[in-house]
Amino acid sequence: MYEYLKSLHLIFVITWFAGLFYIVRLFVYQIEANEKPSPEKEILLKQYKIMTYRLWYIITWPSAILASVFAYWMLFFTDLGHAWLQMPWMHVKLGFVFLLYLYHLKCHQIYKQFQKGDFKYSSNYMRLWNEGATLILFAVVFLVVLKNAVNWIYGVLGIFLFSILIMLGFKFYKKIRQKNEA
């Protein structure tokens, strides 16, 4: 039974992350569409609203809920889950899952604003925001694969340093792009 629960949990974790990655990409497209002239702006925004609605409520939210249901089932109704709850790496992983839900809820807030036509963020901000889910994904994968090993700390620190390099590279690319447009 445990292996079936684990498989279902992994399937819904994957679709949850796919939804989070793609919703933010759709946010970027909506922001850029909002800057286009009429009638292109209205046509694109209408289509993106439909796409984001379907992605958010048909894939992303159900995946988040089902991933959590199967995780809960594994942790609290199996012997292995009870053992894992005693391990420090699982506590850290659950902390990252909590951060993932905060990220998800912030995306939900942004989704609601965009559905109303309220665009408070730049497309560059959303591109950087998209890295949040990536950081959480890397941290969780390192924790789950390496478990008790101290090496997971190096993996997590490495991805945070990598993300800083990505952000610096993004700023550098932005300056070059602005210079070439001038």
Side-chain angles (χ1 to χ4, degrees):
M1 178 67 143
Y2 177 81
E3 296 301 324
Y4 290 106
L5 294 172
K6 183 177 178 181
S7 298
L8 289 167
H9 172 67
L10 286 172
I11 289 166
F12 289 110
V13 166
I14 291 166
T15 57
W16 183 12
F17 271 101
L20 288 173
F21 291 143
Y22 192 48
I23 197 76
V24 178
R25 176 51 50 187
L26 287 173
F27 292 162
V28 170
Y29 296 157
Q30 284 179 287
I31 292 165
E32 292 174 351
N34 191 50
E35 297 167 357
K36 295 198 179 288
S38 290
E40 185 179 9
K41 171 183 175 176
E42 290 78 17
I43 293 167
L44 288 172
L45 287 177
K46 182 179 177 183
Q47 184 61 40
Y48 289 139
K49 274 187 177 185
I50 293 168
M51 291 169 68
T52 55
Y53 176 85
R54 289 177 180 164
L55 174 67
W56 200 238
Y57 288 114
I58 297 172
I59 296 172
T60 312
W61 265 112
S63 295
I65 292 166
L66 288 169
S68 299
V69 164
F70 290 118
Y72 184 84
W73 196 345
M74 280 190 304
L75 287 174
F76 296 105
F77 297 107
T78 67
D79 292 334
L80 187 54
H82 288 295
W84 280 1
L85 283 172
Q86 305 305 316
M87 297 180 185
W89 71 267
M90 181 56 78
H91 299 161
V92 176
K93 178 195 173 199
L94 292 174
F96 278 110
V97 172
F98 177 74
L99 289 176
L100 183 63
Y101 262 105
L102 291 178
Y103 180 88
H104 183 108
L105 292 171
K106 181 61 179 176
C107 285
H108 186 78
Q109 180 185 36
I110 295 167
Y111 163 81
K112 293 296 239 182
Q113 291 169 352
F114 283 16
Q115 289 296 93
K116 294 176 188 172
D118 185 13
F119 299 99
K120 295 180 180 179
Y121 304 99
S122 70
S123 59
N124 289 331
Y125 177 86
M126 280 294 118
R127 284 183 177 93
L128 287 174
W129 177 252
N130 204 25
E131 300 307 317
T134 305
L135 292 173
I136 294 169
L137 176 64
F138 271 76
V140 169
V141 168
F142 276 113
L143 281 165
V144 170
V145 171
L146 299 175
K147 290 184 180 42
N148 290 332
V150 176
N151 292 336
W152 72 265
I153 296 172
Y154 296 118
V156 172
L157 289 175
I159 193 57
F160 282 116
L161 290 174
F162 180 69
S163 66
I164 290 169
L165 290 174
I166 287 174
M167 289 181 205
L168 291 173
F170 182 76
K171 286 185 177 191
F172 180 70
Y173 170 75
K174 183 178 173 183
K175 286 182 182 180
I176 290 173
R177 197 173 77 191
Q178 287 173 343
K179 183 180 175 183
N180 289 339
E181 289 175 0

